[in-house]
Protein backbone atom coordinates (compact mmCIF):
# COMPACT_ATOMS: atom_id res chain seq x y z
CA UNK A 1 0.00 0.00 0.00
CA UNK A 2 1.49 3.39 -0.95
CA UNK A 3 2.33 5.74 1.86
CA UNK A 4 0.08 8.75 2.26
CA UNK A 5 1.88 12.04 1.87
CA UNK A 6 1.06 12.92 5.48
CA UNK A 7 3.11 9.87 6.56
CA UNK A 8 6.22 11.64 5.26
CA UNK A 9 5.73 14.90 7.15
CA UNK A 10 8.31 16.14 9.59
CA UNK A 11 7.28 16.85 13.18
CA UNK A 12 7.10 20.61 12.50
CA UNK A 13 5.08 20.07 9.31
CA UNK A 14 2.61 17.91 11.23
CA UNK A 15 2.38 20.53 13.97
CA UNK A 16 1.74 23.27 11.42
CA UNK A 17 -0.99 21.20 9.75
CA UNK A 18 -2.61 20.56 13.13
CA UNK A 19 -2.63 24.32 13.74
CA UNK A 20 -4.15 25.03 10.35
CA UNK A 21 -6.88 22.45 10.94
CA UNK A 22 -7.59 23.80 14.41
CA UNK A 23 -7.71 27.45 13.32
CA UNK A 24 -9.19 26.86 9.87
CA UNK A 25 -6.86 29.46 8.38
CA UNK A 26 -3.90 31.43 9.68
CA UNK A 27 -1.09 33.75 8.73
CA UNK A 28 2.53 32.75 9.24
CA UNK A 29 2.60 34.95 12.36
CA UNK A 30 -0.39 33.10 13.82
CA UNK A 31 1.17 29.71 13.07
CA UNK A 32 4.46 30.89 14.57
CA UNK A 33 2.68 31.89 17.79
CA UNK A 34 1.10 28.45 18.09
CA UNK A 35 4.17 26.34 17.31
CA UNK A 36 6.12 24.95 20.26
CA UNK A 37 9.70 26.17 20.50
CA UNK A 38 8.58 29.07 18.32
CA UNK A 39 10.85 29.08 15.25
CA UNK A 40 11.66 32.39 13.59
CA UNK A 41 9.27 33.94 11.09
CA UNK A 42 11.35 32.99 8.04
CA UNK A 43 11.45 29.36 9.12
CA UNK A 44 7.67 29.33 9.56
CA UNK A 45 7.15 30.87 6.10
CA UNK A 46 9.47 28.22 4.62
CA UNK A 47 7.60 25.49 6.52
CA UNK A 48 4.26 26.70 5.20
CA UNK A 49 5.75 26.93 1.71
CA UNK A 50 6.71 23.26 1.91
CA UNK A 51 3.13 22.37 2.90
CA UNK A 52 1.84 24.33 -0.10
CA UNK A 53 4.35 22.54 -2.39
CA UNK A 54 3.19 19.19 -1.02
CA UNK A 55 -0.39 20.30 -1.84
CA UNK A 56 -1.46 19.93 1.79
CA UNK A 57 -2.11 23.63 2.34
CA UNK A 58 -3.08 26.54 0.16
CA UNK A 59 -1.99 30.14 0.40
CA UNK A 60 -4.17 33.09 -0.53
CA UNK A 61 -3.25 36.75 -0.33
CA UNK A 62 -6.49 38.65 0.28
CA UNK A 63 -6.87 41.85 -1.70
CA UNK A 64 -5.15 44.69 0.10
CA UNK A 65 -3.55 42.37 2.64
CA UNK A 66 0.18 42.31 3.35
CA UNK A 67 0.40 38.65 4.35
CA UNK A 68 -0.71 35.34 2.94
CA UNK A 69 -3.40 33.37 4.69
CA UNK A 70 -2.83 29.61 4.80
CA UNK A 71 -5.47 26.92 5.12
CA UNK A 72 -5.63 23.14 4.73
CA UNK A 73 -6.11 21.95 1.16
CA UNK A 74 -8.31 19.06 2.27
CA UNK A 75 -11.42 19.39 4.46
CA UNK A 76 -10.96 18.03 7.96
CA UNK A 77 -13.51 15.22 7.49
CA UNK A 78 -11.43 13.81 4.60
CA UNK A 79 -8.20 14.15 6.57
CA UNK A 80 -9.81 12.38 9.54
CA UNK A 81 -10.98 9.50 7.34
CA UNK A 82 -7.52 9.06 5.85
CA UNK A 83 -5.86 9.16 9.26
CA UNK A 84 -8.39 6.71 10.66
CA UNK A 85 -7.86 4.34 7.74
CA UNK A 86 -4.09 4.38 8.36
CA UNK A 87 -4.65 3.88 12.10
CA UNK A 88 -6.95 0.90 11.51
CA UNK A 89 -4.53 -0.69 9.05
CA UNK A 90 -1.41 -0.08 11.10
CA UNK A 91 -2.54 -0.89 14.63
CA UNK A 92 -5.91 -2.68 14.54
CA UNK A 93 -5.66 -5.20 11.68
CA UNK A 94 -8.40 -3.31 9.77
CA UNK A 95 -10.86 -4.07 12.59
CA UNK A 96 -13.12 -1.21 13.68
CA UNK A 97 -14.30 -3.29 16.65
CA UNK A 98 -10.69 -3.61 17.91
CA UNK A 99 -10.30 0.16 17.68
CA UNK A 100 -13.55 0.77 19.56
CA UNK A 101 -12.65 -1.85 22.18
CA UNK A 102 -9.44 0.06 22.86
CA UNK A 103 -11.35 3.32 23.09
CA UNK A 104 -13.75 1.77 25.59
CA UNK A 105 -11.02 0.30 27.80
CA UNK A 106 -11.72 1.97 31.17
CA UNK A 107 -8.09 1.72 32.23
CA UNK A 108 -7.07 3.87 29.26
CA UNK A 109 -9.72 6.54 29.18
CA UNK A 110 -12.75 7.53 31.14
CA UNK A 111 -15.63 8.19 28.76
CA UNK A 112 -18.45 10.47 29.75
CA UNK A 113 -22.03 9.24 29.77
CA UNK A 114 -22.73 11.55 26.82
CA UNK A 115 -19.87 10.01 24.79
CA UNK A 116 -21.10 6.48 25.55
CA UNK A 117 -24.66 7.41 24.59
CA UNK A 118 -23.46 8.96 21.33
CA UNK A 119 -21.48 5.82 20.49
CA UNK A 120 -24.50 3.66 21.29
CA UNK A 121 -26.70 5.80 19.02
CA UNK A 122 -24.17 5.45 16.19
CA UNK A 123 -24.03 1.67 16.68
CA UNK A 124 -27.85 1.47 16.72
CA UNK A 125 -28.05 3.54 13.51
CA UNK A 126 -25.45 1.33 11.83
CA UNK A 127 -27.34 -1.81 12.90
CA UNK A 128 -30.71 -0.57 11.60
CA UNK A 129 -29.14 0.59 8.31
CA UNK A 130 -27.86 -2.96 7.69
CA UNK A 131 -31.18 -4.71 8.35
CA UNK A 132 -32.97 -5.87 5.17
Amino acid sequence: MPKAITDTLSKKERQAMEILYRLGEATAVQVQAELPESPNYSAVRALLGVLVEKNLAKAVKPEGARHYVYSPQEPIHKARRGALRRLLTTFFDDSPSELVANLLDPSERKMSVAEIERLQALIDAQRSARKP
Side-chain angles (χ1 to χ4, degrees), residues 49-119:
V50 168
L51 294 175
V52 170
E53 285 176 21
K54 289 183 175 184
N55 206 29
L56 294 173
K58 55 188 170 189
V60 176
K61 191 171 187 181
E63 192 173 321
R66 291 181 41 187
H67 303 286
Y68 283 93
V69 175
Y70 298 87
S71 59
Q73 186 76 351
E74 184 175 65
I76 194 158
H77 70 277
K78 280 188 171 183
R80 283 179 179 162
R81 282 193 181 136
L84 187 55
R85 238 178 279 119
R86 287 188 301 280
L87 184 69
L88 278 169
T89 301
T90 304
F91 296 106
F92 297 100
D93 201 26
D94 284 328
S95 172
S97 63
E98 282 298 314
L99 172 66
V100 172
N102 276 271
L103 288 173
L104 294 174
D105 183 347
S107 67
E108 293 294 320
R109 180 171 182 244
K110 305 283 189 249
M111 293 183 73
S112 70
V113 171
E115 287 176 312
I116 293 169
E117 288 173 355
R118 180 163 187 261
L119 281 175

